Amino acid sequence: MKKILLLGSGELGKEFVIAVKRLGHYVVACDNYDRAPAMQVADESRVFSMLDGEALERTVREVNPDIIVPEVESIRTEKLYGFEQEGIQVVPSAKAVNYTMNRKAIRELAHTELGLRTANYRYATSLEELQAAGAELGFPCVIKPLMSSSGHGQSKVDSMDDLPRAWEKAREGARGDIPEVIIERFVDFDYEITLLTVTQQNGPTLFCAPIGHVQKNGDYRESFQPRVMRPELIQEAREMAAKVTAALTGYGIWGVEFFVSEQEGVIFNELSPRPHDTGMVTLAGTQNLTEFELHARTVLGLPIPEITQERQGASAVVLSTVESTAPDYEGMAEVCAEPRTDLRIFGKPVAHIGRRMGVVVCWDSLDASQEELREKCTSLAAKINVR
């Protein structure tokens, strides 16, 4: 039995813990607040700021884990190098976590070192630098903190007048303590995808079918699998994903995000070294193994002979429209009465306006109408009200 230290205990971590527990292992879940979703299914929990290097070090010494699995960005990630050198397995690797938790590091690796096609971009450490970068790149542009998740701190700006507000939003929404933002020229793409990529300890790199997704303000709202693409575009995305994950090293599942232009091809966007929120669509049984089961197997060094597409699915998030310290939910019976449908309430102890509190997943055969499936899923998610 392995002892796993999970750094970050949100909804993705919760599903990962369930997958690991089914394989007979011990999990200590950590986050900066009590009763986080993954803590509710783990063997033990710890509450501390993972940006506090001393607290992180103290927890690792106390738990003495075999494996450390980071699930959020707000971690003193440079500490992971030392733990890895001591023989503790870091997932996917200390290098991968450090690079991908920082948009500047991963962008420089992908664009400058590996030569992958990306949006045109600049960096800024002040409003004045941001305005100079905006003038150079032109508009529209997207402003993002170097460290954030779920769209926090992200803005699309259409003119110089929008930059002061975007600068403040990026600083307020940043995770960690890096006072820098990235500004990207807006890419004119046809659609976005997540390509879940699996790197194994003793096996070939595998790819899930492309997942289409819809974002609002940089945050996932719905996803669907498989996203129909021309075979040559799928191959291009796979080659890029294999190239960047190999350079980062390590074993696990990666959520590799791409913009897709039918004319220009595939454009690398971002990379997460862990299960991806858009991959919650796999909870609909779209594959023989969910993204969380795939991650658990790779983390534990268990083989994955193949990933097969079993049916198509759609997911849509449940967002809170209220502030609540004891959230309850209306509309659950209506959603659960629908066939080929499932509802997952994450169990977050506090609701904030716009916070993701659950997800609805729906499925159907591969020859069914994907448009109708997506419409069904989003309409059902809208029936769940947080109160």
Side-chain angles (χ1 to χ4, degrees):
M1 180 176 67
K2 299 286 188 181
K3 183 179 283 188
I4 298 170
L5 184 65
L6 181 68
L7 301 180
S9 296
E11 57 266 32
L12 302 179
K14 183 176 185 177
E15 295 293 339
F16 171 73
V17 171
I18 293 170
V20 168
K21 292 300 297 176
R22 284 176 174 159
L23 294 171
H25 297 275
Y26 195 93
V27 183
V28 180
C30 307
D31 215 311
N32 61 6
Y33 68 97
D34 196 16
R35 297 186 297 126
M39 294 178 180
Q40 299 163 19
V41 292
D43 296 281
E44 297 180 40
S45 63
R46 300 287 189 279
V47 178
F48 66 98
S49 170
M50 289 164 289
L51 286 170
D52 183 337
E54 292 184 2
L56 178 58
E57 177 92 27
R58 185 167 55 249
T59 301
V60 170
R61 300 306 169 207
E62 179 184 318
V63 173
N64 191 27
D66 300 292
I67 306 172
I68 296 175
V69 181
E71 288 292 316
V72 294
E73 289 80 6
S74 50
I75 301 171
R76 189 60 62 189
T77 55
E78 64 272 16
K79 300 284 288 185
L80 300 178
Y81 285 112
F83 301 143
E84 190 173 70
Q85 289 172 359
E86 293 174 19
I88 302 173
Q89 178 185 346
V90 177
V91 177
S93 66
K95 177 182 179 180
V97 175
N98 272 276
Y99 270 70
T100 56
M101 295 301 185
N102 183 315
R103 287 189 171 98
K104 185 173 187 177
I106 190 61
R107 182 57 58 88
E108 291 305 313
L109 174 70
H111 178 78
T112 305
E113 295 184 36
L114 300 179
L116 304 188
R117 185 187 297 118
T118 68
N120 198 5
Y121 63 96
R122 298 291 185 274
Y123 304 109
T125 58
S126 67
L127 176 58
E128 291 72 24
E129 289 183 6
L130 184 63
Q131 290 169 330
E136 183 179 357
L137 291 175
F139 296 93
C141 283
V142 178
I143 315 299
K144 305 175 186 177
L146 288 191
M147 289 180 64
S148 70
S149 65
S150 301
H152 293 297
Q154 183 170 318
S155 300
K156 179 176 177 290
V157 297
D158 296 308
S159 69
M160 292 289 280
D161 294 338
D162 297 330
L163 290 179
R165 178 183 56 81
W167 170 254
E168 291 302 322
K169 184 177 180 179
R171 295 298 303 276
E172 291 170 3
R175 289 192 177 186
D177 49 12
I178 300 177
E180 191 170 11
V181 303
I182 185 171
I183 175 171
E184 301 175 333
R185 185 74 167 87
F186 188 77
V187 175
D188 187 16
F189 57 89
D190 294 302
Y191 54 90
E192 301 174 79
I193 65 162
T194 304
L195 185 65
L196 295 176
T197 302
V198 180
T199 53
Q200 303 185 77
Q201 296 185 39
N202 298 296
T205 295
L206 302 175
F207 304 96
C208 299
I211 296 172
H213 59 256
V214 175
Q215 299 192 56
K216 185 176 181 181
N217 298 323
D219 194 14
Y220 141 74
R221 291 292 187 267
E222 64 163 309
S223 62
F224 48 97
Q225 186 191 36
R227 206 306 171 185
V228 176
M229 296 175 61
R230 287 190 283 117
E232 58 268 30
L233 293 177
I234 295 177
Q235 184 60 31
E236 186 179 0
R238 287 179 172 182
E239 290 174 358
M240 286 189 182
K243 196 171 185 179
V244 70
T245 55
L248 289 168
T249 72
Y251 313 110
I253 197 167
W254 314 68
V256 191
E257 296 181 48
F258 295 101
F259 300 123
V260 182
S261 166
E262 291 292 342
Q263 289 189 334
E264 296 184 21
V266 178
I267 302 164
F268 175 83
N269 181 26
E270 292 187 347
L271 177 74
S272 298
R274 58 189 184 278
H276 200 271
D277 50 10
T278 62
M280 282 193 280
V281 69
T282 63
L283 294 171
T286 54
Q287 306 178 158
N288 59 321
L289 295 166
T290 70
E291 67 167 341
F292 308 103
E293 292 165 336
L294 291 168
H295 198 44
R297 286 202 186 189
T298 54
V299 165
L300 297 167
L302 299 174
I304 302 168
E306 62 179 352
I307 302 172
T308 58
Q309 189 75 29
E310 301 297 314
R311 56 194 184 189
Q312 66 173 313
S315 78
V317 300
V318 174
L319 298 178
S320 176
T321 58
V322 300
E323 299 283 333
S324 175
T325 55
D328 198 4
Y329 301 86
E330 295 178 327
M332 295 177 69
E334 190 174 356
V335 171
C336 291
E338 286 289 329
R340 298 183 295 278
T341 297
D342 200 4
L343 169 64
R344 305 290 178 100
I345 297 298
F346 301 144
K348 294 178 179 178
V350 176
H352 301 297
I353 294 174
R355 191 178 196 189
R356 194 163 60 212
M357 303 298 288
V359 67
V360 173
V361 294
C362 301
W363 59 87
D364 211 329
S365 62
L366 287 168
D367 59 357
S369 167
Q370 190 171 84
E371 183 178 350
E372 291 178 4
L373 184 64
R374 291 175 58 190
E375 185 176 336
K376 171 188 173 180
C377 196
T378 54
S379 64
L380 288 174
K383 294 180 184 295
I384 303 295
N385 295 313
V386 183
R387 61 183 182 185

